[in-house]
């Protein structure tokens, strides 16, 4: 038995040593799937499979980095570094750069962030809509994205406004040589499906495929996987249909529940031994999820029996609910020395955090809200990245227009708008307009001189940016200095703290560029910009490690995380399940979301609901979530907190209270 698999349990070992043919690993919450995946890769290399023939795909850069480090440590002679690891989007970006011409692009294409997509869409809407028409840019992008990810048509552009917008948006993207996240998948799939030579080359290059978090894949990602994997289908997927909670953004649970229809006769291995939670927590979770139809049966169990039952608490209102949580955190922290970082409060909707935050501040309890603004969305970071994007591809209008007069150099909004109109009339980029003498003659002499100074600056640094082996960090420092960008920030700052924050942001970005120079100089500026565009730190889960205090986080964002002590407040009908779930047919997904929340807890779990909640300024009566009635009470302690605080309620009184609630739910 090899050292890679010798410490695994029998089911984990079975999964790690199965190499050939399709394999479905059903990995329940907390069952050690990352350990299994890395052990499997190490085992394959040890068995003589060239590591460069192994392609492992994850959903986040962080997961890929963690896996890469583990594999590197496990595999001898540095062979682990040769395993191809990354996200679906990163893989597609790499393939599209290599075969850009076949995809109809130039290899120096830029990947747009969400903010850049919104800016371009606003421009498209301004050009297409009449004055009295209004359409939200983000809503338009969401509709287009949904259609593309599901392979749906928006209709005839001549008859349907959204189809016309989608057509114009796509044309603008192609003209600017830019892609968005949907393009990476759509064009990657099209490239593989329509170009047999590319497909054959990738088949030779990547002979063994692995996909993590398979329950989160959408139809496009499944098409990509099928195009990459010819018979005998050396495909290993790892996932848990019970944790499929992203149907609202296109994830197809049928990819995992009907895996056999895509890859015939797979081996199926269930990982059910949980290393995270206690028996009461797992028993409660199991009793909930069995109510979902069409799931692949599995039952989590643990050797850690635990002494604390799951608590189900009724409270009067959301203020009392928050007060209960704050007091219990306070007591455990100050009397039992429990670190604040041990606690997490998981909620269904973002607005639930408001009362919690107010209460924590009043009690002076440190907390961290996961989901704040991304580092890459900060003003100063976005400015410098826009400069770098313009150096990589001067025809990127969004980046170019952002820095055209940043810092101020005498190019006003009128000149910028004239350049944009000129470019649209002639079907060229704004950069082409700015370099065209015919355009320059149309603008005042002062603005003309300023434009020429700007284009000279871009041309000067463009040469450095494109040169092989250029160190990006020193180049960026020179750019910041030559544009007097820090002086620009000083003028903008209303307080010394404002400037300090911006200065820190610039410094942090330069550190990241320096680190990139040290590890990946060969891919140059294109590689760095790809890393930034594809970076999933905008999900802000790194806040969990960087910040101190109780973690306040949505149920969706909590997936993949674990905490010793977990609170799930707001378990009322209309919140969980969400009121829209009935209309949209997503009741099963809401139940899975609750299941994910329960299985984040390691030692202690408290579920709570309120009798009254303030909505639109008025108190309204609430009903407990119908999911609560599905829970087996064998390991649950039920408590009426309000009565408990006013004078301890007896066990009989609590039992009677909750029996009444059950009867109410049964009648509803």
């Amino acid at each position: 038995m090899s050292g890679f698999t010798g410490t695994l349990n029998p089911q984990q070992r079975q999964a790690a040593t199965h190499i050939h043919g399709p394999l479905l690993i059903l990995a329940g919450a907390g069952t050690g799937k990352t350990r299994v995946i890395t052990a499997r890769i190490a085992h394959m290399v040890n068995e003589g499979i060239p590591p460069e023939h192994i392609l492992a795909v994850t959903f986040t850069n962080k997961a890929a980095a963690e896996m890469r480090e583990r594999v590197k440590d496990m595999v001898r002679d540095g062979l682990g570094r040769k395993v191809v690891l990354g996200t679906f989007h990163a893989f597609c970006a790499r393939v599209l750069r290599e075969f850009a011409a076949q995809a109809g692009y130039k290899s120096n294409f830029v990947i747009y962030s969400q903010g850049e997509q919104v800016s371009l869409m606003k421009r498209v809407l301004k050009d297409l809509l009449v004055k009295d028409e209004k359409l939200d840019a983000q809503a338009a992008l969401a509709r287009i994205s949904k259609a593309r990810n599901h392979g749906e048509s928006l209709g005839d552009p001549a008859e349907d406004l959204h189809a016309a917008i989608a057509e114009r948006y796509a044309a603008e993207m192609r003209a600017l040589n830019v892609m968005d996240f949907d393009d990476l998948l759509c064009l990657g799939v099209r490239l593989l499906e329509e170009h047999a030579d590319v497909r054959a080359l990738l088949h030779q290059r990547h002979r063994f495929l692995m996909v993590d978090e398979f329950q989160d894949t959408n139809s496009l990602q499944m098409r990509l996987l099928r195009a990459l994997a010819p018979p005998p289908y050396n495909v290993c997927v790892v996932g848990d249909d019970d944790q499929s909670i992203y149907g609202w953004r296109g994830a197809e649970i049928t990819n995992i529940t009907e895996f056999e229809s895509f890859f015939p006769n797979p081996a199926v291995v269930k990982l059910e031994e949980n290393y995270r939670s206690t028996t009461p927590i797992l028993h409660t979770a199991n009793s909930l999820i069995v109510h979902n139809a069409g799931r692949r049966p599995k039952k989590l169990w643990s050797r850690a029996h635990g002494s604390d039952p799951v608590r189900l608490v009724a409270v009067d209102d959301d203020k009392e609910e928050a007060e209960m949580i704050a007091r219990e955190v306070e007591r455990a922290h100050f009397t039992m020395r429990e670190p604040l970082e041990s606690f997490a409060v998981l909620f269904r909707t973002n607005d639930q955090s408001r009362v919690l935050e107010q209460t924590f501040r009043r009690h002076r309890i440190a907390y961290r809200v996961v989901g704040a603004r991304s580092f890459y969305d900060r003003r100063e970071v976005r400015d410098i990245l826009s400069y770098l994007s313009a150096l990589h591809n001067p025809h990127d209008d969004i980046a170019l227009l952002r820095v055209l007069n940043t810092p101020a150099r005498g190019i006003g909004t009128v000149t910028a708008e004239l350049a944009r109109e000129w470019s649209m009339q002639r079907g060229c980029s704004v950069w082409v307009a700015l370099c065209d003498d015919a355009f320059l003659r149309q603008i005042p002499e002062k603005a003309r001189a300023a434009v020429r100074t700007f284009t000279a600056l871009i041309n000067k640094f463009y040469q450095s940016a494109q040169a092989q082996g250029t160190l990006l960090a020193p180049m960026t420092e020179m750019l910041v200095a030559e544009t007097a960008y820090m002086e620009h920030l000083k003028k903008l700052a209303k307080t010394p703290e404002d400037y300090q924050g911006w200065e820190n942001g610039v410094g942090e970005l330069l550190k990241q560029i320096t680190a990139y120079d040290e590890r990946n100089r060969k891919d140059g500026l294109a590689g760095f910009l790809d890393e930034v565009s594809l970076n999933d730190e905008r999900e802000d889960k790194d806040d969990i490690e960087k910040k101190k205090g109780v973690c306040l986080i949505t149920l969706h964002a909590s997936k993949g995380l674990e905490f010793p002590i977990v609170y799930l407040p707001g378990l009322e009908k209309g919140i969980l399940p969400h009121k829209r779930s009935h209309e949209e047919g997503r009741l099963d997904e809401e139940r899975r979301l609750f299941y994910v929340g329960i299985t984040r807890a390691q030692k202690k779990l408290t579920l709570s609901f309120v009798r009254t909640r303030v909505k639109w300024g008025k108190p309204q009566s609430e009903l407990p979530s119908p999911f609560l009635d599905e829970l087996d009470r064998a390991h649950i302690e039920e408590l009426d907190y309000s009565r408990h605080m006013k004078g301890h309620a007896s066990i009989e009184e609590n039992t009677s209270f909750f029996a009444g609630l059950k009867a109410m739910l049964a009648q509803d």
Side-chain angles (χ1 to χ4, degrees), residues 142-176:
R143 180 157 180 181
I144 293 168
S145 179
K146 185 180 178 182
R148 296 187 74 190
N149 279 284
H150 286 84
E152 301 168 354
S153 171
L154 287 169
D156 185 351
E159 298 178 1
D160 186 276
L161 177 60
H162 281 92
I165 291 168
E167 184 181 62
R168 178 64 171 271
Y169 176 76
E172 289 275 349
M173 294 284 282
R174 194 172 289 275
L176 298 173

Side-chain angles (χ1 to χ4, degrees), residues 29 31 35 37 107 149 153 184 188 196 217 229 246 269 328 354 369 412 423 427 501 520 544-545 548 563 594 607 648:
T31 56
R35 189 179 178 204
I37 293 170
S107 61
N149 279 284
S153 171
L184 294 176
T217 53
Y246 295 120
V269 180
E328 292 186 357
R354 180 180 57 81
V369 181
S423 71
N520 197 9
I544 295 167
E545 296 164 5
K548 300 295 182 183
F563 306 90
F594 188 17
L607 314 174
H648 291 281

Side-chain angles (χ1 to χ4, degrees), residues 279-299:
T279 294
I281 294 167
L282 296 178
H283 182 89
T284 302
N286 288 333
S287 72
L288 170 76
I289 204 63
V290 293
H291 290 84
N292 268 7
R295 60 184 287 271
R296 290 183 176 269
K298 67 189 79 67
K299 189 174 181 179

Side-chain angles (χ1 to χ4, degrees), residues 646-667:
K646 293 168 185 173
H648 291 281
S650 68
I651 294 173
E652 291 78 13
E653 286 175 318
N654 276 322
T655 303
S656 176
F657 171 74
F658 281 94
L661 280 177
K662 284 184 182 180
M664 191 192 324
L665 285 167
Q667 294 170 5

